[in-house]
Amino acid sequence: MKSSHVRVETPTRAPQFTIRLSSTARGARLARRLAGQQLAAWGIPYDSETSQAVALVTAELAANAVTHGCTPGRDFRLTLLLLPEHAAVRVEVTDTRPERLPDDPAAESAAPGAPSGRGLLLVAAYAERWGCEVRDAYTKTVWADLTVTGPSFLRT
């Protein structure tokens, strides 16, 4: 299992993008679109495997924040960090339900034909590692690190 519930410090000098979005289906869709646009701004092509994987993971984590981590009237936060020293992109989604930690996707599988329940399996499949952190009494952050393939500038 790739999941880790250990706090992992992110470099403070990493290029990052952060935005608050409404805890709605529209906010989750916008998170996915903005992730692809930000990666393109960092030089990772919109149609690359990396961009598509980051968009998918962002969509799953944002959908979970909207579905399971929503407090009425409170937004969720999307943060993307470019980690050139690790040739990775970190996706962080922070919601307002620290008491609702994600389940281990390997321990509980969705029933065949169920319309949901596979999101974290996808995150685990695409991410090099992922986890959840409760940083304060009001929020939790689910994060995933994805390896960047392609652009050589990330490996310098």
Side-chain angles (χ1 to χ4, degrees):
M1 181 173 90
K2 298 178 190 174
S3 175
S4 170
H5 293 283
V6 180
R7 182 175 174 92
V8 176
E9 294 295 324
T10 55
T12 56
R13 295 182 187 190
Q16 77 175 47
F17 170 81
T18 301
I19 190 166
R20 281 182 28 190
L21 297 163
S22 65
S23 291
T24 62
R26 183 178 184 268
R29 284 190 308 271
L30 187 56
R32 179 184 178 121
R33 179 164 289 196
L34 290 171
Q37 289 177 346
Q38 184 58 49
L39 266 58
W42 285 337
I44 300 170
Y46 191 77
D47 60 349
S48 69
E49 286 183 30
T50 298
S51 182
Q52 291 173 3
V54 168
L56 183 135
V57 167
T58 300
E60 291 299 336
L61 295 182
N64 283 350
V66 169
T67 304
H68 306 292
C70 178
T71 300
R74 303 270 313 272
D75 298 335
F76 73 92
R77 182 176 65 230
L78 168 65
T79 300
L80 302 172
L81 295 112
L82 184 61
L83 307 171
E85 66 278 7
H86 301 293
V89 172
R90 173 169 287 184
V91 177
E92 296 182 349
V93 175
T94 303
D95 67 43
T96 57
R97 298 293 300 271
E99 74 281 5
R100 296 193 73 183
L101 300 177
D103 293 326
D104 178 357
E108 295 187 27
S109 58
S116 63
R118 294 173 190 83
L120 289 178
L121 282 172
L122 289 172
V123 171
Y126 280 96
E128 184 66 31
R129 60 191 182 135
W130 71 278
C132 180
E133 301 174 22
V134 176
R135 297 175 179 167
D136 58 45
Y138 307 103
T139 63
K140 77 168 174 296
T141 300
V142 182
W143 56 269
D145 291 343
L146 289 88
T147 301
V148 176
T149 57
S152 59
F153 76 91
L154 289 173
R155 292 182 175 84
T156 60

